[in-house]
Amino acid sequence: MTDHSEDRAASLSHLRRAHLARGDAVPLPLEMASMFHLPGDPAGARQYGRYDNATWTGLEEALAHLDGAPCLAFPSGMAAISAIFLSLLKAGDRVLLPADGYYTVRVFAERFLKGYGIEHELRPTAAFAEGGFEGFRMVYLETPSNPGLDICDIAAIATDAHAQGAIVVADNTTMTPFGQRPLELGADILVAADTKAPNGHSDVLFGHVATHDEAALAALKEWRKLSGAIPGPFEAWLVHRGLETLEVRFARMCQSAETIAPRLAAHPAAKAVRYPGLPGDPAHNLAATQMLRFGSLIGLTLKDAETAERFIDGCRLIQPATSFGGVHTSAERRARWGDAVEPGFVRLSIGCEPTEALWDAVNEALEKM
Ligand SMILES: *Cc1c(COP(=O)(O)O)cnc(C)c1O
């Protein structure tokens, strides 16, 4: 796949230029407004803060530039995901979900979709392309899966699922537009939690949907307007600010992860290491063809739960925290949430610290195990 990341990153910084009149602010303005000046016929103007906001529009333009398709902003990753389910599925439809993807998606399906007459089935990410897609209205995949970092073949799944009349949704949170291009691989709808690397500073929750499917986009937009699940303008403004440095941050994060993962794999304290960039990783060959980078998440299995907790808490450059993709390296033991991983499995989110300084701190903490 041709990598246009550099062109995209370079032109992102100048996207707004086409809209600017003499004397306008160069950076994106923050529009805090529920009310707009609206005398007479309301058609063709901004009407109300639940329908429209100039800061959302500025952010959506930037997101669309990066994902290569029209975008809609949502107040969190889950708000974007639930909007997809609730605006595009109806009673009697079936949806295929990853058994090992973002946990809340499965809980949402069980707790709410079922009650609306929408049934779901679970399939492990590593085997997601197998078993066919007959009878599914929607095939929802996540690759690499969070937290196990298994990978599925987006192009193969899209071809087979489309042959069965299903719509294909890809959660691209773990990779960002600079790491993986699901829409170019054949997915119909991309969804992402901008809470993670796109915002990147761990101070905002946010999400978005990107798609070329005009009917789906219209349904999602109507859902957002009518349900009231709208993003705050200030959060949109912060995410826009984060996006402007995403390329440089993600490059550092991936480069550090690519350097650190093999060193962890060679370390006697590591029981196992999962990272798509490791040549021996079960996901490596597919990752090398499907992804532009190998990502910033590493799955590190230590001896047991206690060792893992001591490592996480004892490393001076690791924040013990859930979530990932921030400028600061962070980690957590996923079994504490009930994920189907070993008790000593640590999801390590590599941040933007200089690579060798970070490795020194990680190595120092491992030596104490
Ligand atoms: C975090 C995350 C989400 C949900 O995002 P929120 O902003 O927390 O609602 C969805 N999918 C994946 C893969 C995630 O990591």
Side-chain angles (χ1 to χ4, degrees):
M1 169 176 297
T2 320
D3 185 356
H4 298 290
S5 295
E6 293 200 352
D7 294 343
R8 266 186 213 102
S11 44
L12 180 71
S13 310
H14 301 277
L15 265 194
R16 279 180 41 74
R17 187 170 172 167
H19 304 305
L20 297 182
R22 203 171 146 78
D24 280 353
V26 170
L28 178 67
L30 169 58
E31 180 179 82
M32 297 297 285
S34 60
M35 196 182 253
F36 299 93
H37 182 62
L38 194 66
D41 181 1
R46 284 216 295 287
Q47 301 168 347
Y48 185 49
R50 182 157 33 76
Y51 307 171
D52 203 356
N53 175 277
T55 311
W56 301 349
T57 308
L59 170 63
E60 286 168 350
E61 192 183 342
L63 289 167
H65 175 75
L66 294 183
D67 275 331
C71 279
L72 272 181
F74 285 88
S76 67
M78 278 312 300
I81 292 167
S82 61
I84 290 172
F85 294 147
L86 295 172
S87 66
L88 303 180
L89 297 175
K90 58 181 186 330
D93 285 344
R94 288 172 69 236
V95 55
L96 182 64
L97 302 174
D100 48 353
Y102 193 67
Y103 169 70
T104 314
V105 175
R106 297 194 295 280
V107 177
F108 184 83
E110 187 61 38
R111 178 68 185 81
F112 290 104
L113 294 186
K114 250 190 185 168
Y116 299 143
I118 300 159
E119 293 292 334
H120 65 278
E121 208 169 283
L122 302 176
R123 193 180 286 177
T125 296
F128 210 76
E130 297 154 28
F133 301 102
E134 203 185 332
F136 291 109
R137 176 73 194 108
M138 182 180 283
V139 169
Y140 179 102
L141 62 88
E142 181 184 317
T143 181
S145 60
N146 169 25
L149 303 181
D150 276 322
I151 284 183
C152 60
D153 187 333
I154 300 174
I157 291 165
T159 304
D160 292 353
H162 288 157
Q164 298 293 335
I167 183 164
V168 177
V169 180
D171 183 332
N172 203 38
T173 300
T174 50
M175 289 315 292
T176 87
F178 291 112
Q180 182 167 266
R181 318 273 316 153
L183 298 176
E184 288 160 29
L185 293 166
D188 302 293
I189 295 179
L190 175 156
V191 65
D194 301 307
T195 307
K196 313 294 167 49
N199 179 62
H201 295 73
S202 309
D203 48 11
V204 158
L205 278 94
F206 214 84
H208 78 273
V209 175
T211 181
H212 290 293
D213 182 332
E214 285 174 21
L217 198 73
L220 281 154
K221 193 166 188 178
E222 193 179 14
W223 170 266
R224 184 177 71 177
K225 171 177 161 177
L226 299 180
S227 71
I230 55 162
F234 183 56
E235 283 72 12
W237 185 83
L238 282 171
V239 173
H240 184 272
R241 163 173 283 217
L243 276 191
E244 295 187 305
T245 55
L246 175 59
E247 188 266 344
V248 64
R249 285 184 286 106
F250 193 65
R252 164 67 70 83
M253 288 154 71
C254 292
Q255 175 224 303
S256 290
E258 284 160 25
T259 305
I260 288 171
R263 295 182 190 175
L264 286 175
H267 199 288
K271 210 168 127 187
V273 174
R274 284 299 307 266
Y275 183 66
L278 292 173
D281 191 273
H284 179 70
N285 290 344
L286 181 53
T289 56
Q290 171 166 286
M291 288 149 59
L292 301 171
R293 297 299 302 248
F294 292 117
S296 57
L297 294 178
I298 299 175
L300 166 66
T301 307
L302 297 173
K303 194 174 69 184
D304 50 28
E306 193 267 327
T307 311
E309 293 293 359
R310 259 198 304 133
F311 165 70
I312 293 168
D313 206 32
C315 180
R316 60 191 162 83
L317 294 186
I318 290 180
Q319 290 289 337
T322 195
S323 195
F324 59 89
V327 289
H328 27 252
T329 293
S330 64
E332 74 168 328
R333 205 172 58 78
R334 286 302 298 186
R336 69 178 181 163
W337 300 110
D339 282 356
V341 290
E342 284 200 47
F345 176 90
V346 175
R347 183 184 63 193
L348 184 58
S349 166
I350 299 294
C352 293
E353 302 88 349
T355 309
E356 292 304 328
L358 178 58
W359 168 248
D360 286 348
V362 167
N363 192 33
E364 200 178 275
L366 283 176
E367 293 303 317
K368 285 191 249 150
M369 291 301 101

